[in-house]
Amino acid sequence: MTVHFIGAGPGAPDLLTLRGRDLIARCPVCLYAGSLVPQAILAHCPPEARIVDTAPMTLDEIIAECAKANAARLDVARLHSGDLSIWSAMGEQIRRLEALGIPYTVTPGVPAFAAAAAALGRELTVPRIAQSLVLTRTPGRASSMPERETLAAFARTQTTLAVHLSIQTLETLVGELIPFYGETCPVAVVYRASWPDKRIIRSTLAEIVQDVGLQPIERTALILVGKALGDTEASESALYSPDYRRRFRGGD
């Protein structure tokens, strides 16, 4: 028996990895975060699978389901949205499973920021503009932020920011970023990237609060900030330049 943690991707059922799909298809128990994982993903479950929505459950209740499956020697597909490496609460579940001696695996998924960038048709790292991407969030009830991890600290780099779980603090966020990025800096709010009802609002830091106010978004949105989002006349990378010598193109 094994608990398989699976990143279910950003929403679209065909953005699930093949490994994740195959694991779901052979697990007689499926625990999924119903507030974020679409029902279409559950179509991969076996016909007689026990499917449990963990959205209203506590950590103890979730682990109890895993322990119950372990006693019955039934594999579990544990689905989280996006990728498991960020803000999935997988770590605390794994610690409980390890204490109980229950084996587990981890299968990555397509993260929300990648789906949002695809929806925008933008590369988030652009030569001479931004060569780093910061994934962060603002403080929330479920998790505080370490004192050293402030928006100002990240904004000083003026690289691309992907701010998660923060649409409810948009006005405060904008006020903190403008001194570093300027009012004309491009920003995009992507709501439910890759879902059928996705929405994209492109704007600037000076106008994004007003623009979002015209079509309010309350949750499940990603805020992308940085000059890489704009229509820049950035120089091209050297990777495909005829002058760039590399071993795959006759170079050393």
Side-chain angles (χ1 to χ4, degrees), residues 27-248:
C27 286
V29 179
C30 177
L31 307 180
Y32 76 106
S35 59
L36 296 170
V37 175
Q39 291 288 315
I41 298 288
L42 304 180
H44 298 298
C45 293
E48 303 301 321
R50 171 173 166 73
I51 301 175
V52 180
D53 181 358
T54 61
M57 298 171 66
T58 65
L59 177 59
D60 286 343
E61 290 170 335
I62 293 170
I63 299 303
E65 285 286 346
C66 294
K68 179 180 176 181
N70 181 58
R73 303 190 65 78
L74 299 176
D75 285 350
V76 175
R78 176 63 174 122
L79 306 185
H80 287 272
S81 63
D83 180 65
L84 296 151
S85 62
I86 52 174
W87 303 300
S88 68
M90 177 184 70
E92 58 207 53
Q93 296 172 71
I94 284 177
R95 288 191 292 272
R96 298 287 187 95
L97 294 179
E98 288 177 340
L100 294 171
I102 297 176
Y104 61 87
T105 68
V106 179
T107 297
V110 176
F113 78 84
L120 293 168
R122 282 290 182 269
E123 184 178 359
L124 301 181
T125 55
V126 178
R128 300 183 185 276
I129 300 296
Q131 286 294 287
S132 301
L133 172 65
V134 175
L135 309 179
T136 189
R137 57 168 296 175
T138 54
R141 288 188 304 154
S143 180
S144 61
M145 293 290 289
E147 292 183 4
R148 64 187 178 278
E149 294 184 22
T150 65
L151 275 178
F154 296 132
R156 285 189 183 94
T157 67
Q158 296 185 32
T159 193
T160 310
L161 300 184
V163 189
H164 297 66
L165 307 169
S166 302
I167 191 63
Q168 72 283 356
T169 62
L170 180 61
E171 188 169 357
T172 300
L173 182 149
V174 166
E176 293 187 48
L177 295 183
I178 282 179
F180 300 96
Y181 288 89
E183 293 186 345
T184 61
C185 180
V187 57
V189 172
V190 183
Y191 170 75
R192 286 162 69 101
S194 88
W195 289 66
D197 60 345
K198 79 177 179 191
R199 276 193 284 151
I200 298 174
I201 301 175
R202 301 173 189 256
S203 188
T204 64
L205 280 175
E207 299 177 351
I208 188 62
V209 172
Q210 176 182 323
D211 291 344
V212 170
L214 296 175
Q215 40 184 322
I217 297 173
E218 296 181 355
R219 61 190 299 274
T220 324
L222 179 66
I223 305 164
L224 290 167
V225 181
K227 293 181 180 179
L229 301 177
D231 294 323
T232 63
E233 296 182 0
S235 63
E236 297 175 347
S237 72
L239 182 61
Y240 298 111
S241 169
D243 298 326
Y244 182 60
R245 296 179 62 79
R246 54 195 292 240
R247 61 192 178 112
F248 298 108

